[in-house]
Amino acid sequence: MPYVDVPLRGNLHLHYISNPRMDGGDLVSQPMDFTRHTIVFFHAGTSSSSSFRAQMEDPRLNAHYNLLFMDARFHGGTEGANRDSHKLEDSAECLIAALDTLGVPSYTIFAEGIQGCPCAVHCYLMRPQNVRGLILASPGWMTEDPEVKNSLRQMLGLICANKDGKGDGTGTIDTEVLRLVVEYFIGHAPRLDERREAAQVAVQQRYGTGHNSHDISHIILSGADRTPPSPAQLASITCPILILSGTDDKVVSPLAAAEEWKRALKGAKGGATIASITGAPHLMSLSDFVS
């Protein structure tokens, strides 16, 4: 898979896949085609571009659009030097720098979760001339409730129980902790058992055995401590905005959270539209609903 070197904030080596096609059972990246409108996919926290497998394989998208799937800093195959602090705005800055380096002229952003969606909004604010539309799937509340923040910090402590010389020192995430983390993001629906099992394997591989607390700490804390753009910044948005909300998402990004975003964006040109997806969980890209 290709990488783009971004000499920003620690020589970022960002992994991406463009216009993927099947080759011997594997999805491989193809050259970008800027004669078509580009859709850029930004994944949720602790996930990666691979969470958009359904979209990568969707013939409707492949037939009409230039598709670009990107791994944010601390995620997937992206590599970069350690940082002492990190905010979601920093992730947006890195993603914009990668898009600039790749020469993507204009694009619609499909973003997911409490990491991806705020990043997409910040990307617009950094490059309003390039962003033609925003699709915000399960954006979560604009800020996190103090009680939830505390719960996320407790979750981080459990994830890191064997890291940084603590516990058995292997970095391994306990199986029960993994289950709770994945259920937080994907939900409890029995039909998603296979997706949850795959997610547990992926999280353990990327953030568990052999890893210290660095990447996972920045992911969880930047999400927990997120702050929204100012009302004036939100009012400056002129592109169309679609908010997707799953009816099975009762905790992380319920319909009320989508409505909070809609109210905050009422000053933007055209405001925002909400589409409620019946039966969809929090991470819709890992379900059977958004493709």
Side-chain angles (χ1 to χ4, degrees), residues 151-252:
S151 296
L152 288 170
R153 291 178 184 277
Q154 290 176 356
M155 179 188 292
L156 178 60
L158 294 173
I159 291 171
C160 298
N162 293 318
K163 300 181 185 298
D164 307 329
K166 297 180 292 186
D168 63 17
T170 65
T172 305
I173 304 171
D174 180 79
T175 302
E176 180 62 16
V177 174
L178 267 181
R179 182 186 68 79
L180 293 172
V181 170
V182 170
E183 284 189 354
Y184 173 82
F185 288 107
I186 298 179
H188 300 81
R191 70 174 183 276
L192 299 174
D193 283 347
E194 187 175 331
R195 304 294 176 95
R196 281 191 293 270
E197 291 172 7
Q200 288 185 45
V201 172
V203 171
Q204 185 74 268
Q205 182 178 1
R206 180 65 175 82
Y207 305 108
T209 307
H211 295 273
N212 62 24
S213 66
H214 182 268
D215 288 8
I216 193 68
S217 295
H218 279 318
I219 291 169
I220 291 178
L221 295 178
S222 63
D225 296 332
R226 66 188 183 279
T227 56
S230 70
Q233 288 175 313
L234 293 174
S236 73
I237 299 176
T238 60
C239 71
I241 306 164
L242 174 63
I243 302 172
L244 302 181
S245 178
T247 60
D248 279 7
D249 189 354
K250 307 294 186 183
V251 178
V252 186

Side-chain angles (χ1 to χ4, degrees), residues 16-23 28-33 66-67:
Y16 70 94
I17 180 170
S18 59
N19 296 318
R21 297 291 187 273
M22 294 299 297
D23 183 7
V28 296
S29 194
Q30 304 294 318
M32 283 181 275
D33 179 5
N66 181 51
L67 304 178

Side-chain angles (χ1 to χ4, degrees), residues 12 43 55 74 93 108 125 131 158 164 185 205 207 249 269 289:
L12 187 69
H43 56 79
Q55 290 75 27
F74 314 123
E93 185 181 48
T108 292
L125 297 173
V131 179
L158 294 173
D164 307 329
F185 288 107
Q205 182 178 1
Y207 305 108
D249 189 354
K269 183 179 179 181
F289 295 91

Side-chain angles (χ1 to χ4, degrees), residues 43-45 88 112-119 137-141 144 152 184-185 219-220 222-224 226 252-253 282-283:
H43 56 79
L88 293 185
E112 188 166 47
I114 61 175
Q115 171 180 271
C117 294
C119 278
S138 304
W141 301 98
E144 207 60 89
L152 288 170
Y184 173 82
F185 288 107
I219 291 169
I220 291 178
S222 63
R226 66 188 183 279
V252 186
S253 184
H282 176 55
L283 296 192

Side-chain angles (χ1 to χ4, degrees), residues 4-14 73 78-80 94:
V4 55
D5 287 320
V6 181
L8 176 75
R9 296 188 176 277
N11 294 319
L12 187 69
H13 193 52
L14 190 141
R73 192 162 200 163
T78 289
E79 302 170 352
C94 292

